[in-house]
């Protein structure tokens, strides 16, 4: 008998659920089954695949290497099956439910206003939840459906995620609008010696992604302060002697002014990321198309500088 005749869609959904939840009782509740029924199906699956698939632990179950290897394939299969039943006459106006977006504070300012405006205009009954970005747990949040879409920088996204390049961005060196540096031609060596503020959303330290760029010029940065968000940066810079590199789409800002620097730092990519489980979701595909429509030619950064990925700047 062909192996494909030994397995059904429900069993694939159980494997998918256990890979996401790592807990038999939660998967049973989601599927409307008893825990005993899940255990029985798992017993059959172990025979089919000749593998334990999931091993009990103090907190639930842990997938074997074979189960982990199957995850992307199972997600693809189930997405394809769901696609068979998708509404061919898609109407954004008829959308309801909730769509959850995780975004960095940069994306909240630079990407979300136009996106949420477009969504609200076309789909007034679709509710949106915007939540803080958690780089260390992104894949699990996407895989478990706790978030539907992430707006962030490439460096924060695991290779297993699907992604869309929105645009390339450029950092601009700025200081307080009252700084004596304003209006003066400056070299990078002048900036290196200045007290610098970095924005480090993922790690509370004094290391920035442009450190290597300074080092390549034979310079060491004088980083004196780190803050977790771009939202706080301009307020602090305005009332201090620090300089910083802020993304161009957060400028102009009446609290800071750009400096006349002789060289620009490497650019970086801003992306949307999601899990393969969402590939055949009509609402997800529609929102991705909206994002694509937001990326007009003037949003694209035209530069020959190789991109870098900013954990901090």
């Amino acid at each position: 008998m062909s192996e494909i005749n030994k397995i059904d869609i429900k069993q694939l959904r159980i494997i998918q659920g256990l890979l996401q939840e790592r807990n038999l009782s939660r998967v049973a509740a989601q599927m409307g089954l008893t825990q005993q029924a899940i255990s029985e199906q798992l017993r059959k699956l172990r025979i089919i695949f000749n593998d334990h698939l999931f091993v009990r632990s103090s907190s639930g179950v842990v997938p074997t290497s074979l189960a982990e290897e199957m995850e992307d394939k199972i997600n693809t299969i189930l997405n394809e099956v769901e696609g068979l039943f998708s509404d061919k006459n898609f109407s954004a106006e008829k959308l309801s439910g909730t769509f959850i977006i995780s975004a960095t504070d940069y994306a909240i300012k630079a990407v979300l206003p136009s996106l949420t405006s477009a969504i609200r205009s076309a789909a007034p009954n679709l509710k949106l939840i915007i939540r803080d970005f958690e780089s260390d747990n992104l894949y699990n949040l996407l895989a478990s459906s706790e978030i539907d879409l992430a707006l962030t920088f490439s460096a924060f996204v695991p290779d297993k995620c699907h992604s869309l390049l929105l645009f390339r961005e450029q950092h601009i060196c700025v200081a307080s609008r009252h700084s004596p540096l304003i209006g003066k031609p400056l070299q990078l060596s002048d900036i290196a010696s200045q007290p610098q503020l970095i924005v480090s959303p993922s790690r509370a330290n004094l290391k920035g992604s442009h450190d290597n760029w300074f080092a390549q010029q034979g310079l060491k940065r004088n980083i004196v302060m780190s803050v977790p968000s771009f939202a706080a940066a301009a307020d602090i810079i305005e009332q201090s002697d620090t300089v910083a590199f802020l993304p161009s789409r957060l400028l102009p800002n009446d609290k800071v002014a750009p400096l006349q620097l002789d060289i620009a730092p490497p650019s970086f990519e801003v992306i949307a990321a999601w899990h393969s489980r969402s590939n055949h979701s009509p609402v997800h595909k529609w929102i991705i198309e909206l994002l694509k429509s937001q990326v007009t030619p003037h949003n694209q950064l035209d530069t020959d500088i190789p991109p870098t990925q900013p954990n901090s700047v």
Side-chain angles (χ1 to χ4, degrees):
M1 181 185 296
S2 172
E3 296 300 317
I4 197 171
N5 294 327
K6 299 179 182 179
I7 195 167
D8 59 32
I9 294 297
K10 179 175 67 178
Q11 290 172 322
L12 293 180
R13 289 183 58 216
I14 288 172
I15 297 175
Q16 183 187 57
L18 290 174
L19 284 165
Q20 294 174 359
E21 297 292 340
R22 312 293 174 95
N23 185 283
L24 268 69
S25 61
R26 285 202 294 268
V27 172
Q30 290 173 359
M31 296 185 65
L33 301 172
T34 65
Q35 187 170 335
Q36 290 75 15
I38 297 293
S39 297
E40 175 60 20
Q41 291 299 326
L42 184 53
R43 182 189 68 80
K44 294 178 180 179
L45 287 165
R46 285 168 172 160
I47 295 173
I48 293 171
F49 289 100
N50 192 28
D51 188 89
H52 281 292
L53 297 179
F54 296 91
V55 180
R56 292 190 180 278
S57 70
S58 58
S59 58
V61 293
V62 177
T64 64
S65 57
L66 177 62
E68 290 182 328
E69 290 170 7
M70 293 193 298
E71 182 171 15
D72 286 343
K73 293 180 181 178
I74 288 175
N75 288 333
T76 298
I77 291 169
L78 293 176
N79 282 333
E80 292 288 350
V81 172
E82 289 177 1
L84 296 174
F85 303 97
S86 296
D87 183 3
K88 302 303 181 183
N89 300 312
F90 174 81
S91 171
E93 188 177 2
K94 296 178 182 178
L95 287 176
S96 60
T98 303
F99 194 84
I100 305 173
I101 301 174
S102 174
T104 59
D105 73 313
Y106 166 81
I108 287 173
K109 289 180 174 293
V111 181
L112 276 179
S114 59
L115 176 63
T116 55
S117 175
I119 292 173
R120 291 292 304 144
S121 176
N125 296 316
L126 180 65
K127 295 178 172 58
L128 298 174
I129 294 177
I130 313 300
R131 55 176 287 175
D132 288 339
F133 185 78
E134 299 179 37
S135 60
D136 292 339
N137 196 34
L138 179 60
Y139 183 79
N140 289 335
L141 291 171
L142 289 167
S144 64
S145 304
E146 291 184 59
I147 60 176
D148 298 300
L149 186 71
L151 301 175
T152 182
F153 307 123
S154 300
F156 295 147
V157 178
D159 293 337
K160 293 189 289 185
C161 290
H162 294 254
S163 64
L164 168 70
L165 173 62
L166 300 179
F167 50 80
R168 289 175 65 190
E169 171 67 291
Q170 182 72 57
H171 284 116
I172 306 296
C173 190
V174 302
S176 167
R177 57 196 173 95
H178 307 297
S179 172
L181 298 175
I182 301 299
K184 294 182 178 180
L186 299 168
Q187 296 184 341
L188 191 60
S189 57
D190 300 319
I191 296 300
S193 61
Q194 292 295 317
Q196 295 185 45
L197 176 149
I198 64 168
V199 179
S200 184
S202 60
R203 297 288 184 271
N205 57 36
L206 295 173
K207 297 179 181 179
S209 64
H210 289 333
D211 294 353
N212 289 338
W213 176 57
F214 274 85
Q216 289 168 3
Q217 319 303 318
L219 301 169
K220 181 176 175 59
R221 301 175 76 181
N222 179 25
I223 299 174
V224 300
M225 190 183 309
S226 170
V227 296
S229 70
F230 289 105
D235 290 333
I236 294 174
I237 295 167
E238 181 192 27
Q239 299 186 48
S240 72
D241 60 347
T242 60
V243 301
F245 290 86
L246 298 184
S248 66
R249 285 168 179 78
L250 300 187
L251 301 172
N253 183 306
D254 60 8
K255 297 179 180 179
V256 299
L259 298 178
Q260 297 179 21
L261 191 57
D262 65 337
I263 184 174
S267 63
F268 61 94
E269 295 177 348
V270 179
I271 68 168
W274 63 92
H275 193 270
S276 59
R277 67 174 179 80
S278 301
N279 282 342
H280 292 281
S281 163
V283 61
H284 190 279
K285 289 192 288 186
W286 174 67
I287 288 178
I288 290 298
E289 290 304 314
L290 280 182
L291 274 170
K292 290 179 181 178
S293 72
Q294 303 295 316
V295 185
T296 55
H298 72 273
N299 290 127
Q300 297 288 354
L301 180 65
D302 184 14
T303 177
D304 294 326
I305 302 173
T308 187
Q309 309 303 336
N311 290 313
S312 53
V313 295

